[in-house]
Structure formats: C-alpha cells, structure tokens
Amino acid sequence: MSSPLVFPSDSHYWLENAHIPPDLIKTRVNYPQEIHFPRPWEDLGLYHLEIADGTIKNIIAVGQGENVNDVVKDDAIPRVNLKQRMILPCFVDMHTHLDKGHIWGRSPNGNGTFAEAIAGTERDAAHHQQPEDIYRRMEFGLQCSYAHGTVAVRTHLESAGQRGQMVWEVFRQLRQTWADRLTLQGVAMVSTDYYLTPEAEKLADQMVEWGGILGGVAYAGPQVEAELTRLFTLAQARNLAIDLHVDENGDRRSRVLHQVAAIALKVGFTGQIVCGHCCSLDVQSPQQVQQTLNLVKQANIAIISLPLCNLYLQGRDQPQKPAWRGITKVHDIQAQGIPLVFASDNCRDPFFPFGDHDGLEVLNQSVRIGQLDPPYGRWCATVNRTPAQLMDLADQGCLAVDGPADFVIFPARYFSELFSRSQGDRLVIRRGKPTHHRPPEYQELDDLMGFGAVGS
C-alpha cells in the first residue's frame, strides 16, 4: 500500500510526478518533442501540476530523467511528490436513474429479466414512492457519486402524470441543494408513444421551464417513426436536446437507432441527440451495422453504452446461459469517430442489483466487458472528457491551464494497477482541496427498505 499523501494547507502548491493520459490534458505547456514514454501501451505521460486558488495554473510535461528542480524553480511553494500516482479528471456520469435507485432491498428482481425489472419498479413506485422516499434515495446516489469523484450527473426521470410532477419537483430541489458540488441534468423519461398524446406539448414546455431534456424509451413497432417524428418536432421548436433509450434487447430486427438517425436527417434536426444502450446493434449483420453507423455519424448522434446493467439483464431469454451479454459495438463506434460514453445506468434496483455510482468502476468493468485493449488511455475520455463535452461542461472532464483543479489521485501508477486493485483510498480534489468525503452507509436507508434495527 502506498503511503498516504499529506497535502499542504496552502492554496498554492505543486503536484510533482503525476501519471496522466495525455489526451485528457487540454492545454499542453512546455511539452518537449523528444519525450518517449517508456510504456506506450499504458498511454501515460509524466507531469507536474501547479495548483493555485482552486485552478490549474501550470502543466509541465517531464522528460525521462529530468529533475523536478529543472522545471520548478520556486522553493517557497509547497510540493507534493505523487511518485507516479495516476491522476484522472473528475468523472461525468451521463446516464443514470436516480429516482429508481437503491430499492433492491425492498423490491428485488427474482429472475433478473427485463420484464420483471419493469414490473418491479412499477410496483415499488405504487407502494412506496413519496417525495421524502425519492429525495433520500436520490441524495444517497449523489453522495456516492460525489465521494467517488464525480462532478456532473445526468439522470433520466419518470415524467408521466402526477408521479412525474413529484419526481421532477424532488429533482429540482436536489439540483439546487447540490449546485455547489455537482452539476445535475434531468431527462424526461416516458415511452415515446407519449409524444403522440395531448400531454406531450405540456411536457416539452416543462422541459424548457425546468432546464430539462426530452427523452424516453423508443420501442420498435409500427408507430415508432410517427412517435420519433413528433418528438423531434417538439424538441426542434423549443431548442431542446434529445436523449433516448433505444434497442435495449437482443432482437436483430430492432433497428430503432437506425430510425432515429434517419428521421433526424429527414427533419433537419439541429439539436444534440444521444442514444443509450443500442444493444441489438451487436447481433445485426456487418452490413446493417455499417449502414446504421454511417447514418449515426451523419446525424451527429452520440452513443452511451451501459455495460454493467446490460451484462446483467440481456441474453436471459436464450436457452443456454451465460449467452450473449448485451454490450453494443463499442469498437466500431469508436473507430467511426462517433462520440462514445460509458455510464453507470441503474444502481441497486430491479434493473441492476449492484453499482455504486463510481466512474472508475464503470471504466474498469467496461474494459473487461468490452475487451477494450491497450493503449488504455484512449478509453478514459469515455467517462470524463466526452460526456462533459456532450453535457456542454466546457471546464470539466479534462485538465487545462486556468481550468478548475477538479481531479482524482489514485494510489495506482499504471492502468495495470488501476484496474487490478480497489482504489477506495483515492483522493478526490475539488477546486484544489481534498474533499475527504466518504460514501454514505447503507444503513441510512434501512427504514425505507423496511429493515428492523439489529443490535445497538
């Protein structure tokens, strides 16, 4: 175990000898052309960072064998030698379901199927969910995110009817309460047939008023084109972005992603489009995959893959287990230059009984599930820089001179260490200061789960 870091009380200090993926540094200062990294498959450079008053004042790339005193001249400024510990920008979690989260203790999914996950969450909502219940569980998830080093979260929120009004009111309260710690974005979660009803206009207007995003679940079927066309029309008229769940299944006939892209091009949609899951793409023919991705790129659509949840849910209807496990064509998407994001999705609910809103866990498991081979540094942007760009957070997701000093320092020095051992003793830095915030105890939700007190 590496020795704990001792941070100076000063707001101005240097971090020496930090391993950072070069692609996550937006502004490169004094970058020597002759640098040759000794482990190119790791895709890590060695850097010194100067931190002052909550911002990154300077970033210096260090050549092999170069002494820190050659580049850091002022001995009066405190220094912390990281000894090649890794630094990553804080995480940006672009696809979650905070309003469903942390109900597994009272609403487990006995057979692990998608159908039972939907039925279980509907039963739970009918029997348990009131404003206090929703607020406490959503805040529990935000506390986990913040403790692990997340700076921004986009969550899909059930939005139909009276329950939708209640969920959004809770979310808006939390967004205000957490404004100084987390950027929160909300997406309207409905089945896309909702957009063919009279209530769709009101929902779209509410998203404008509440600073939300139009979205939902688009199922393959005879009406889906009409549903999507109506959704795009409502969003275009109000300058709203769109964030959809599509093709979360293993049916090769399900090509909603293709339809989304085609309709976006047909109507000339100019806003941002994000599509999550896209699982069925992985079981379609190479020709179909190429056709779809060509349209996706033309329509400027970004893809969010949710490997943890899809690994758990998908393929259960196949006779032999384990079978196909749900992840989309992440390598093809990356190769096409289509923005690709990995995110946490559901946590401890009928859709996924595990998870802790931890961007490192998402990246770590995505590397395994998706066979994301070295150099690993190129995949790191999927959990910070790319989602930050898509969420229009210009100052987040990367390390930049004059940008906020928001990053995570890990005990690991290399990716082989980062992905092999728990990094629970990471140090989260926000505005240049360690947060020392720990994830909440599960016992905090015991009364909501109906658990009786045990012991004293």
Side-chain angles (χ1 to χ4, degrees), residues 234-300:
L234 291 168
Q236 183 90 308
R238 293 162 178 79
N239 197 29
L240 290 171
I242 292 174
D243 192 332
L244 288 165
H245 292 58
V246 303
D247 299 326
E248 193 175 359
N249 56 64
D251 184 351
R252 62 175 51 90
R253 298 166 299 179
S254 181
R255 302 189 69 198
V256 177
L257 177 61
H258 188 281
Q259 292 172 292
V260 169
I263 292 170
L265 291 169
K266 181 179 179 180
V267 302
F269 188 73
T270 56
Q272 184 194 86
I273 309 169
V274 175
C275 288
H277 297 288
C278 310
C279 305
S280 66
L281 191 69
D282 192 53
V283 296
Q284 292 165 6
S285 71
Q287 294 77 15
Q288 288 177 317
V289 170
Q290 192 60 55
Q291 290 170 0
T292 296
L293 294 185
N294 286 343
L295 286 180
V296 165
K297 188 167 185 177
Q298 290 177 47
N300 295 314

Side-chain angles (χ1 to χ4, degrees), residues 427-445:
L427 190 61
V428 177
I429 308 297
R430 298 296 304 272
R431 299 294 173 176
K433 296 183 180 298
T435 63
H436 300 299
H437 189 82
R438 308 306 303 169
E441 299 289 339
Y442 293 124
Q443 290 90 328
E444 293 182 17
L445 298 180

Side-chain angles (χ1 to χ4, degrees), residues 18-230:
H19 267 158
I20 306 170
D23 285 347
L24 298 182
I25 295 178
K26 187 175 181 180
T27 306
R28 298 176 180 177
V29 178
N30 298 331
Y31 199 112
Q33 295 298 316
E34 69 274 11
I35 286 182
H36 299 285
F37 300 131
R39 300 184 181 209
W41 61 90
E42 291 278 4
D43 195 17
L44 290 168
L46 193 64
Y47 299 88
H48 304 319
L49 280 69
E50 183 181 10
I51 310 299
D53 300 320
T55 64
I56 299 173
K57 186 176 180 181
N58 203 353
I59 302 173
I60 296 176
V62 184
Q64 277 186 271
E66 191 169 16
N67 190 292
V68 66
N69 294 318
D70 295 335
V71 290
V72 182
K73 303 294 186 182
D74 191 345
D75 291 334
I77 303 175
R79 304 179 188 181
V80 180
N81 191 343
L82 297 186
K83 300 179 180 178
Q84 300 184 348
R85 288 177 174 90
M86 284 183 63
I87 286 180
L88 293 180
C90 281
F91 302 113
V92 176
D93 195 353
M94 199 177 170
H95 184 123
T96 63
H97 292 269
L98 292 174
D99 59 330
K100 294 183 175 73
H102 304 285
I103 62 173
W104 179 268
R106 70 190 184 202
S107 296
N109 182 346
N111 60 23
T113 63
F114 194 85
E116 179 55 31
I118 293 174
T121 53
E122 289 178 348
R123 288 193 299 268
D124 190 271
H127 290 94
H128 299 289
Q129 296 189 20
Q130 296 299 321
E132 181 188 1
D133 175 271
I134 298 169
Y135 189 101
R136 287 177 58 192
R137 289 184 296 98
M138 289 179 70
E139 183 161 62
F140 188 94
L142 295 177
Q143 289 174 349
C144 296
S145 294
Y146 183 72
H148 293 310
T150 297
V151 291
V153 177
R154 177 182 287 187
T155 180
H156 296 256
L157 301 167
E158 294 294 334
S159 298
Q162 291 184 337
R163 179 170 178 259
Q165 299 292 312
M166 177 175 62
V167 168
W168 272 92
E169 180 58 35
V170 169
F171 172 73
R172 292 164 67 200
Q173 293 174 21
L174 283 166
R175 186 166 58 186
Q176 183 175 359
T177 301
W178 281 81
D180 61 337
R181 291 163 288 173
L182 289 171
T183 298
L184 301 181
Q185 295 183 357
V187 182
M189 178 81 172
V190 293
S191 176
T192 51
D193 58 1
Y194 191 86
Y195 291 108
L196 296 180
T197 70
E199 289 79 12
E201 291 267 1
K202 179 182 177 182
L203 178 62
D205 290 339
Q206 286 177 330
M207 290 303 101
V208 175
E209 179 186 353
W210 297 342
I213 297 157
L214 280 182
V217 185
Y219 295 104
Q223 286 198 113
V224 69
E225 289 196 15
E227 296 165 7
L228 292 171
T229 300
R230 179 62 172 154

Side-chain angles (χ1 to χ4, degrees), residues 19 38-39 42 44 84-86 411-420 423:
H19 267 158
R39 300 184 181 209
E42 291 278 4
L44 290 168
Q84 300 184 348
R85 288 177 174 90
M86 284 183 63
R413 300 167 301 165
Y414 302 98
F415 285 107
S416 58
E417 298 172 0
L418 185 74
F419 295 150
S420 297
Q423 303 293 308

